[in-house]
């Protein structure tokens, strides 16, 4: 009987140790990626003029308070020198959590934020985040197959290096891209995941908003 109990406790200890090491390695890699990407100079946002855009991230498996914590941490890191990201949390009428960008957002920052949400630090949560966006041809790191076309962006389940994305556009073309090596993307003419229409219209927030949460106060 004692032997069986010891075996159970030993097995649990191994499981907890592996889970801790996995989360620690994941967070260490994620921190390195954020530091490296944050060093890239971007044009500051013009926060005096709202820009109509279709950028949207819908998040689940996380509380509103947890999502606020994640976004504040990301903005503090990204907006250290100048404001390059200005997200707002929108609590929809059906209580789903969404993020919109009243002053628009660069493609690389959009992807970086999506990654940051999926792999939060110091939170007992495993969020799921799916983004929708359309970007023009002047986004250097965007795959050319995605130019000027609505696309859905998400982190694949088989992600192991914590910096990869899969995107599929409204025409059914998919791309697999690494955040740290955006030029080496792979095209999938017949992706496994189909494109889905966004559940909310980010250009008409008033039509589905229940609560609006401001993250950045401005400088």
């Amino acid at each position: 009987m004692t032997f069986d109990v010891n075996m159970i406790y030993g097995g649990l200890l191994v499981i907890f140790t592996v889970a801790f090491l996995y989360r620690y390695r994941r967070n260490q890699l994620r921190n390195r990626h954020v530091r490296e990407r944050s060093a890239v100079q971007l044009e500051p946002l013009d926060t005096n003029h709202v820009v109509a855009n279709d950028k949207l991230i819908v998040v689940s498996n996380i509380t509103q308070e947890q999502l606020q914590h994640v976004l504040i941490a990301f903005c503090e890191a990204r907006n250290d020198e100048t404001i390059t990201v200005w997200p707002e949390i929108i609590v929809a009428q059906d209580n789903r959590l969404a993020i919109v960008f009243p002053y628009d957002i660069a493609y690389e920052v959009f992807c970086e934020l999506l990654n940051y949400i999926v792999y939060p630090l110091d939170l007992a949560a495993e969020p799921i985040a799916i983004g929708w966006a359309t970007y023009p041809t002047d986004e250097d790191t965007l795959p050319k197959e995605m130019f000027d076309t609505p696309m859905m962006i998400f982190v694949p389940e088989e992600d192991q290096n914590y910096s990869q994305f899969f995107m599929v556009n409204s025409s059914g073309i998919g791309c697999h891209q690494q955040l740290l090596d955006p030029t080496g993307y792979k095209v999938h003419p017949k992706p496994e995941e189909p494109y889905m229409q966004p559940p909310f219209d980010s250009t008409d927030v008033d039509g589905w908003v229940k609560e609006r949460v401001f993250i950045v106060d401005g400088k």
Side-chain angles (χ1 to χ4, degrees):
M1 185 71 173
T2 303
F3 175 76
D4 291 340
V5 171
N6 289 338
M7 287 287 290
I8 292 173
Y9 282 135
L12 290 174
L13 179 61
V14 170
I15 292 172
F16 288 141
T17 301
V18 170
F20 172 80
L21 292 175
Y22 165 79
R23 190 173 182 85
Y24 176 80
R25 177 176 177 272
R26 185 189 74 179
N27 290 342
Q28 289 294 102
L29 287 172
R30 204 286 301 269
N31 278 340
R32 186 192 65 175
H33 294 166
V34 170
R35 287 195 300 270
E36 291 176 357
R37 297 303 302 168
S38 296
V40 178
Q41 295 297 316
L42 296 172
E43 290 293 325
L45 294 177
D46 179 3
T47 56
N48 293 317
H49 301 91
V50 173
V51 178
N53 67 88
D54 68 343
K55 316 303 186 302
L56 172 73
I57 297 177
V58 177
V59 189
S60 58
N61 204 33
I62 190 173
T63 68
Q64 179 181 331
E65 291 73 20
Q66 288 173 327
L67 182 57
Q68 286 179 233
H69 176 82
V70 171
L71 292 183
I72 289 171
F74 182 81
C75 289
E76 287 177 348
R78 255 295 174 192
N79 296 338
D80 185 46
E81 297 295 334
T82 185
I83 295 179
T84 58
V85 56
W86 189 300
E88 290 182 9
I89 296 176
I90 303 296
V91 182
Q93 293 173 358
D94 62 3
N95 292 319
R96 278 188 286 181
L97 297 175
I99 305 169
V100 297
F101 306 89
Y103 306 106
D104 215 351
I105 181 172
Y107 169 71
E108 54 206 274
V109 183
F110 186 85
C111 291
E112 183 184 335
L113 175 57
L114 194 68
N115 178 272
Y116 202 93
I117 294 170
V118 172
Y119 299 121
L121 291 176
D122 304 322
L123 288 182
E126 296 289 341
I128 300 171
I130 302 177
W132 284 267
T134 303
Y135 280 99
T137 58
D138 58 357
E139 291 285 344
D140 294 336
T141 58
L142 178 67
K144 65 179 184 299
E145 287 80 4
M146 301 291 125
F147 286 164
D148 291 316
T149 178
M151 58 182 174
M152 181 177 74
I153 309 174
F154 56 93
V155 177
E157 292 184 1
E158 67 274 13
D159 181 29
Q160 295 182 348
N161 63 7
Y162 321 114
S163 69
Q164 62 179 323
F165 298 88
F166 198 92
M167 63 198 78
V168 56
N169 65 18
S170 57
S171 299
I173 302 299
C175 280
H176 186 193
Q177 186 178 36
Q178 302 286 340
L179 188 60
L180 296 181
D181 182 23
T183 61
Y185 65 87
K186 297 180 180 179
V187 178
H188 300 269
K190 296 181 179 180
E192 295 182 3
E193 297 291 338
Y195 175 84
M196 295 183 294
Q197 292 289 337
F200 307 114
D201 182 359
S202 61
T203 64
D204 182 27
V205 173
D206 292 340
W208 51 277
V209 63
K210 175 182 177 181
E211 180 183 353
R212 187 189 300 263
V213 181
F214 299 98
I215 301 300
V216 180
D217 293 328
K219 294 184 180 181

